Amino acid sequence: MWASVKYQCTEFQSLSNARRINVDREINQESMNATGLLKQLMGNLLFAGRPKKRQNMTSPVVISATAKHTATLIFFHGLGDTGHGWASSMGAVRSPHIKVICPTAPTIPVTFNAGFRMPAWFDLRSLDSSGPEDEEGIRKATEMVHSLIAEEVAAGIPTTRIVLGGFSQGGALAIYSALTFPEPLAGVIALSAWLLLHKKFPAEAIGNRNTPLLQCHGDCDPIVPYKWGQTTATLLKQFMTQTEFKTYRGMMHTTDQEEMRDIKKFIEKVLKPMTHVSSFILSSLKNGIQKVVLNKPAKKNALSPQMYKELTMLLNESAENNEVMVFALTANGDFFSSGNDLIASMELTLSSSLVIVKEFIDAVIMYPKLLIAVVNGPAIGIATTILGMFDIVYASDKAYFQTPFSSLGLVAEGCSSYTFPRLLGHSKAGEMLYLGYKMNAQEANQYGLVSKVYNHDSLEEVWNYLNMISTLSSQSILATKRLCKWNKEILLKVNKEEMKELKNLIESPELSERMLSFLTRKNKL
């Protein structure tokens, strides 16, 4: 597959035509042999057309989002360049909600550059497609890429809102890093690039096989031959499901306006603005799946009145959005949710708090599309009871389900007084609702509350599995949902009755003492 390449471009018939290439400095051909000329071209063409800053930067260039930061583009420059070389170009094509990070490679000796030191993500030992590769350096650089992703996730940006991209050596690093990263990314951009350690694929592709990949290449590239781009695209199509290879006529080892327009379109497609996003609720749409993430791990994702409001708005909006087929609820951190944020609820009047919760439950009842929960950890109270109305529930083996209503002196909610006896059986439902029984994930699977239990470290596989939904008939799914759904009128009535009983109990004298006792125990969870 990786055969020798003969250039077909009339703009680059031989090395003697190198003067036609627009590079940073004039090349004195007479003073070079063919090998020396190619190396000089390599150094100049790697960042042709970029801003001419060449500082040996060690800190990444960061262009902050100008709106609410909900997505990140991490872009890696080519050999000999710095993060500054691409920062302005990427900044020009990103949307206001996207942060751009352009790291600078360490300065190392490069074999192909006669051992001279220059910024490089790893050693480049040959321009021969069958030549030796710096496997140790590639893996070390990949660890750095994965750590950058981890930093964004720690800052509240899910992996599905992160795009990796790069030019030339940086593009090759972006492809390899995505395929060796286990969690799904939003997309990959590879410009004038190739597949590193290609003989190890597809065996080493442990992730992102369903992630969109935009691969761009000029058909007159004298440095990374066009044929390399074609053979890379052919190989990637064998195990990736969303690859696109675009050819740019007459373009050498650089970029042009047409390519930048295509990059902008790709970014807009895979990193769409998120609606109604707060720091505690994250929402993104991809392949027909609206992924909604509870993002308050410091408080075990306890649901405040404001979070209920945002969840209700998201449910109602996605119900009307023709691009949405699935509303998938999950969470960041160790807990799915510890239930109601009782302290935040006390900031409102009793009536206001109950109305907000009731409207959320009503929105769940009336939702016409698929409701899927990916329970990443313990689910307490309403975080458990609403699952009875979800169409599919997946759970981590670290999850458990508990409804401690009697400990608080409260009452069943989330229509669980109706759904649980029918799902779990009368006796087991009673044990949970009356006695606060803690049900583990395996038991929840046996009783039908959970569809499948995943090893916690493999829970992200759910999202790859759910991507198949985009290939299914939406009309068929929605029609079946209408047939399988609980009777909405009954559930609306049950919700109203539960809220009425809840109001009566909250107004009872013993509540304050029980709530104080519960909050003390809850902090020890």
Side-chain angles (χ1 to χ4, degrees), residues 186-477:
V188 182
I189 301 169
L191 312 180
S192 305
W194 68 101
L195 179 60
L196 300 171
L197 304 175
H198 60 272
K199 295 179 182 179
K200 295 182 179 292
F201 288 91
E204 287 204 359
I206 64 171
N208 288 287
R209 292 184 178 219
N210 298 314
T211 295
L213 166 68
L214 174 64
Q215 188 184 350
C216 304
H217 219 114
D219 64 359
C220 292
D221 191 331
I223 303 302
V224 180
Y226 178 61
K227 185 68 175 179
W228 287 19
Q230 289 180 310
T231 51
T232 290
T234 299
L235 177 56
L236 292 175
K237 282 181 182 293
Q238 294 177 14
F239 59 91
M240 294 186 73
T241 61
Q242 298 188 70
T243 63
E244 182 179 13
F245 181 77
K246 299 186 75 69
T247 299
Y248 301 88
R249 298 284 296 174
M251 191 174 80
M252 297 187 181
H253 198 66
T254 182
T255 190
D256 63 14
Q257 291 183 354
E258 181 185 359
E259 184 182 57
M260 295 306 295
R261 284 195 295 268
D262 289 336
I263 294 169
K264 180 178 176 64
K265 290 178 183 177
F266 179 79
I267 293 173
E268 289 174 345
K269 179 181 178 181
V270 300
L271 292 179
K272 294 179 180 179
M274 297 168 68
T275 58
H276 296 297
V277 176
S278 72
S279 58
F280 297 144
I281 300 284
L282 307 177
S283 174
S284 59
L285 176 59
K286 181 179 178 182
N287 295 332
I289 301 171
Q290 180 151 8
K291 182 179 179 181
V292 178
V293 183
L294 306 180
N295 188 43
K296 195 164 65 169
K299 296 195 69 174
K300 301 180 176 66
N301 295 312
L303 296 168
S304 67
Q306 181 59 34
M307 293 171 72
Y308 278 120
K309 286 182 179 180
E310 293 190 16
L311 288 170
T312 302
M313 285 190 291
L314 287 169
L315 282 164
N316 292 336
E317 287 186 354
S318 67
E320 301 297 326
N321 187 343
N322 292 330
E323 294 185 19
V324 178
M325 196 185 309
V326 176
F327 186 98
L329 183 65
T330 189
N332 285 331
D334 297 330
F335 267 64
F336 179 63
S337 174
S338 58
N340 288 306
D341 187 336
L342 298 175
I343 295 177
S345 299
M346 291 176 184
E347 296 175 359
L348 300 177
T349 64
L350 171 61
S351 297
S352 297
S353 294
L354 291 180
V355 167
I356 291 169
V357 175
K358 180 181 180 297
E359 288 177 348
F360 165 67
I361 297 171
D362 282 347
V364 172
I365 294 170
M366 299 302 296
Y367 191 72
K369 303 174 184 180
L370 289 190
L371 280 169
I372 296 178
V374 181
V375 183
N376 57 298
I380 311 297
I382 194 170
T384 287
T385 58
I386 61 169
L387 298 179
M389 295 183 288
F390 275 59
D391 300 294
I392 304 173
V393 178
Y394 300 110
S396 158
D397 58 5
K398 292 186 177 181
Y400 63 79
F401 306 86
Q402 189 174 24
T403 54
F405 300 124
S406 55
S407 297
L408 271 171
L410 297 177
V411 70
E413 60 190 358
C415 296
S416 57
S417 62
Y418 180 84
T419 60
F420 272 32
R422 289 159 178 79
L423 282 172
L424 309 177
H426 184 77
S427 181
K428 181 56 69 174
E431 191 174 17
M432 289 197 73
L433 296 177
Y434 304 144
L435 306 182
Y437 175 75
K438 182 161 65 174
M439 180 181 285
N440 64 38
Q442 288 75 17
E443 193 174 5
N445 176 240
Q446 293 170 8
Y447 277 95
L449 182 63
V450 168
S451 171
K452 183 176 180 180
V453 178
Y454 283 79
N455 179 283
H456 186 74
D457 294 334
S458 303
L459 189 60
E460 286 297 321
E461 293 176 7
V462 171
W463 304 107
N464 291 330
Y465 175 65
L466 291 179
N467 279 331
M468 72 170 183
I469 287 176
S470 63
T471 67
L472 303 178
S473 167
S474 60
Q475 290 184 338
S476 172
I477 289 175

Side-chain angles (χ1 to χ4, degrees), residues 162-183:
I162 298 173
V163 166
L164 295 184
F167 174 76
S168 192
Q169 190 190 49
L173 178 61
I175 297 173
Y176 185 84
S177 298
L179 292 175
T180 55
F181 188 69
E183 299 180 20

Side-chain angles (χ1 to χ4, degrees), residues 125-140:
R125 295 172 178 171
S126 170
L127 279 183
D128 185 346
S129 60
S130 61
E133 295 184 79
D134 178 17
E135 183 169 347
E136 180 181 355
I138 290 169
R139 297 193 187 281
K140 183 177 179 181

